[in-house]
Amino acid sequence: MARQDTIDVRELSVHYHGHLALKNINFSVDKGQLIGVIGPNGAGKSTLIKAILGLERSKGEVSLFGSSVKAFRKQISYVPQRNMIDWDFPVRVKDAVLMGRYAHIPWYRLRSSKKDRRKAEEALDKVGMIEFADRQIGELSGGQQQRVFIARALAQDADVFFLDEPFVGIDIKSEEIIVRLLHQLRDSGKTIFVVHHDLSKVEKYFDHLILLNQELIGAGAVKEIYTPEFLKKAYQGSAAVLDDKDGMVVVSQ
Amino acid sequence: MIEQIISFADQVARYPYLQNALMAAIAVGVICGVIGCYIILRGMALMGDAISHAVLPGVVIAYMLGMNFFIGAVITGVLTALAIGYISQNSRIKEDSAIGIAFTAMFALGVVLITTMRGSSVDLWHILFGNVLAVGRTDFYITAGIGLFVLLAVFVFYRPLLLSTFDETMAKATGLPVKFIHYMLMLLLSLVTVASLQTVGIILVVAMLITPGATAYLLTDRFPVMLGLSALFGVISAVAGLFFSVVYDVSSGASIVLVASALFALAFFFSPKQGLVFRFFRSRTADQSV
């Protein structure tokens, strides 16, 4: 049952060269949530996101607020893993952010409008990168690069965001800026999926968790899912969960 | 040298066949330079080489049937691109191997077809290595027409092409037909190859696609500037190469390619930002300041 105010995934499966990468995933999330997609390496976290976006051949149904992905594309922003990008590409920070506007510029318009460039600038300002606008993207640190790509997603004015491992290999300052921005976006009613593999900050960052290991281990509010039972089930041998009265410590590989 | 330049200019003014050659070479320099930027940034240099070779059987078959050889070339070029995609997506063979298999097969087919027509006026040497001095007025118009079409396509579809080149996943996520764009680019590549046939020949087209673009890539951080510089280097190579070819009576295609390579070598060593020489001095001063 597709509804107007939820993202629903039904019976989603993905096959890779004959073996099952994701098996019968079912969940629903409400609008305006910050959702962590977590699980061990090879659990199919990125695959899940790509399948939801329709970039991966999959079986099952996905509905975003009652419409199909196809009809919803312009309202979806995707931030790839940093290692998917060619950082030597001849593009400056402000050009890269402007690409976020491309979805809204009709093909027959030859130049981007003032409004588009202004939106790109505002987005750059929000991530604290405005003074780097004229740099080539490869001249930035990992955290700065990630912030530029977040700015690109912001510039798109999307309603749903998908971020693939945004915190890998970045500095603390950038991580703080990004987390603060994601919380602001959530508070303004956006729905954000973040693929994440570092378990230590899960409780602080997210509202909702989708815990995966090829099949769905659990989906729900962080409090319900971030428990020793669920984590042990997802990580099996690859994480130790130490639980005592004062809280929980998770050691993952 | 000055005398030779004057004599070259004089010959160009006097002989229409040289004027045709010069204009065709300039057109080829521009379109190869522009399309080449996309080929480089998409990491498709081998694909460029493949499509240019794969055009051969199309040219020969078109000649046998008495058709315009542009049609045959485009058909075999795009078919080869499709075959490469099909092989790499439907087996464990990786794309570079699929390219190696498909284009050599097509090229061999072309060579076999040519040898069946021994004694005809098709000159294998000219198709393989070009002979810009044999460019006629009609050939030039066709080259110019293709050039305009290619430039128009790149101009109109600037944003989708750039986004799908820079970040394919985001391009797909926002709904761009990434596969269609890929095959359109292969189509443009086949057209460019055919347009360059007489100027530089099948074997050396890949140099005109890659070298000017690579030179420009070393000199700028902005994509539109790269497109412009690449076209400029293509034109400089074409004109200077033709000059050397006429003055020293050597192969035109090869001279053009050698000029392009020389420009690349200059940029490789002396580019302000990427050049080896300046990088060496920068790292030395950085060492001293530590």
Side-chain angles (χ1 to χ4, degrees):
Chain A
M1 246 269 307
R3 287 183 293 148
Q4 295 300 312
D5 51 355
T6 56
I7 294 177
D8 302 280
V9 171
R10 291 283 161 267
E11 308 276 317
L12 192 68
S13 296
V14 176
H15 289 267
Y16 263 140
H17 304 297
H19 81 263
L20 210 54
L22 280 178
K23 192 176 150 194
N24 274 343
I25 308 289
N26 285 290
F27 63 83
S28 292
V29 289
D30 292 332
K31 196 167 178 253
Q33 300 261 348
L34 181 50
I35 303 135
V37 179
I38 58 174
N41 284 337
K45 297 175 300 243
S46 298
T47 309
L48 174 65
I49 280 193
K50 286 188 180 152
I52 294 176
L53 287 169
L55 306 181
E56 205 77 74
R57 221 180 287 171
S58 62
K59 266 189 262 168
E61 275 175 53
V62 174
S63 109
L64 298 120
F65 311 127
S67 54
S68 71
V69 182
K70 254 192 188 151
F72 205 72
R73 281 214 185 283
K74 282 187 184 173
Q75 294 312 317
I76 299 175
S77 227
Y78 172 78
V79 178
Q81 274 183 47
R82 217 149 43 77
N83 59 16
M84 297 299 288
I85 296 296
D86 171 12
W87 295 102
D88 285 329
F89 202 93
V91 62
R92 292 170 305 174
V93 167
K94 61 179 177 195
D95 307 324
V97 176
L98 193 59
M99 286 182 198
R101 300 296 309 160
Y102 282 9
H104 301 291
I105 307 176
W107 64 271
Y108 50 81
R109 264 229 327 265
L110 293 178
R111 270 179 66 82
S112 47
S113 70
K114 252 202 186 110
K115 182 184 141 216
D116 293 316
R117 271 170 282 157
R118 202 190 62 236
K119 286 214 184 245
E121 263 175 42
E122 285 169 4
L124 260 184
D125 198 33
K126 273 191 193 146
V127 297
M129 289 294 293
I130 195 81
E131 68 264 43
F132 295 93
D134 287 318
R135 295 278 191 91
Q136 193 265 334
I137 51 168
E139 295 168 17
L140 309 176
S141 74
Q144 291 171 329
Q145 290 173 342
Q146 196 66 57
R147 275 147 69 190
V148 169
F149 272 66
I150 302 278
R152 184 176 75 172
L154 289 177
Q156 198 185 326
D157 275 341
D159 290 324
V160 182
F161 293 74
F162 292 89
L163 288 77
D164 202 345
E165 300 269 15
F167 304 122
V168 169
I170 72 172
D171 55 290
I172 295 170
K173 186 189 162 203
S174 295
E175 183 160 342
E176 278 170 359
I177 291 176
I178 293 171
V179 169
R180 200 177 62 227
L181 265 171
L182 293 182
H183 284 150
Q184 278 171 14
L185 283 172
R186 181 226 20 224
D187 294 341
S188 64
K190 313 284 188 185
T191 311
I192 307 148
F193 289 83
V194 178
V195 171
H196 190 63
H197 79 257
D198 174 15
L199 286 175
S200 62
K201 289 164 185 160
V202 161
E203 281 179 296
K204 232 168 68 190
Y205 287 175
F206 303 114
D207 311 320
H208 197 95
L209 286 183
I210 292 167
L211 185 58
L212 278 184
N213 193 354
Q214 275 159 11
E215 46 196 317
L216 190 71
I217 307 294
V222 169
K223 259 185 285 170
E224 294 162 29
I225 303 300
Y226 194 68
T227 61
E229 300 83 73
F230 274 120
L231 291 175
K232 273 178 195 156
K233 204 174 156 200
Y235 282 80
Q236 288 164 359
S238 64
V241 183
L242 312 169
D243 192 16
D244 62 26
K245 285 178 295 261
D246 303 324
M248 191 166 74
V249 181
V250 185
V251 186
S252 60
Q253 275 175 350
Chain B
M1 190 71 174
I2 306 254
E3 270 169 47
Q4 284 162 336
I5 292 174
I6 292 169
S7 126
F8 176 68
D10 181 51
Q11 289 186 50
V12 170
R14 254 189 298 160
Y15 302 117
Y17 80 91
L18 255 186
Q19 292 160 13
N20 291 339
L22 190 65
M23 288 191 295
I26 289 173
V28 165
V30 171
I31 51 178
C32 282
V34 168
I35 287 296
C37 289
Y38 293 96
I39 304 296
I40 290 175
L41 292 172
R42 286 169 164 255
M44 288 179 11
L46 185 58
M47 194 70 168
D49 200 21
I51 300 298
S52 56
H53 280 74
V55 152
L56 183 63
V59 172
V60 181
I61 293 170
Y63 182 85
M64 286 169 153
L65 300 177
M67 293 185 327
N68 188 318
F69 60 80
F70 282 87
I71 300 167
V74 166
I75 292 174
T76 49
V78 172
L79 272 182
T80 309
L82 288 169
I84 290 166
Y86 188 79
I87 293 174
S88 60
Q89 276 160 30
N90 290 291
S91 72
R92 64 202 294 184
I93 307 289
K94 294 201 175 59
E95 192 176 37
D96 58 339
S97 304
I99 291 173
I101 295 163
F103 95 78
T104 46
M106 293 302 267
F107 191 66
L109 176 65
V111 173
V112 166
L113 287 175
I114 285 188
T115 44
T116 61
M117 316 196 310
R118 215 169 275 129
S120 73
S121 66
V122 175
D123 190 335
L124 181 62
W125 178 266
H126 283 173
I127 293 179
L128 295 187
F129 295 103
N131 180 14
V132 74
L133 300 180
V135 173
R137 192 45 67 153
T138 336
D139 298 323
F140 167 70
Y141 286 139
I142 292 176
T143 304
I146 289 182
L148 278 182
F149 176 73
V150 169
L151 290 182
L152 195 71
V154 167
F155 192 62
V156 171
F157 299 107
Y158 178 79
R159 281 187 301 267
L161 268 173
L162 177 59
L163 184 58
S164 70
T165 304
F166 177 57
D167 185 348
E168 198 183 307
T169 321
M170 179 188 165
K172 276 192 216 155
T174 51
L176 284 181
V178 168
K179 267 209 184 126
F180 178 72
I181 291 174
H182 171 80
Y183 287 115
M184 280 308 288
L185 202 60
M186 293 301 105
L187 176 81
L188 293 183
L189 190 59
S190 313
L191 285 173
V192 168
T193 305
V194 186
S196 322
L197 261 186
Q198 288 181 300
T199 315
V200 284
I202 282 179
I203 307 271
L204 292 176
V205 170
V206 71
M208 286 307 280
L209 285 168
I210 306 301
T211 314
T215 311
Y217 189 24
L218 292 178
L219 295 171
T220 180
D221 283 336
R222 298 187 54 194
F223 185 65
V225 179
M226 179 175 166
L227 284 175
L229 280 179
S230 178
L232 177 70
F233 292 141
V235 170
I236 293 175
S237 313
V239 175
L242 190 62
F243 164 77
F244 289 121
S245 154
V246 168
V247 169
Y248 297 107
D249 192 23
V250 288
S251 155
S252 56
S255 323
I256 291 172
V257 170
L258 279 182
V259 175
S261 316
L263 289 176
F264 174 77
L266 280 177
F268 182 74
F269 289 109
F270 300 111
S271 151
K273 216 165 159 184
Q274 310 286 340
L276 224 56
V277 173
F278 292 98
R279 282 222 314 244
F280 174 71
F281 282 117
R282 265 204 303 277
S283 65
R284 276 216 357 200
T285 43
D287 284 345
Q288 280 160 8
S289 64
V290 165

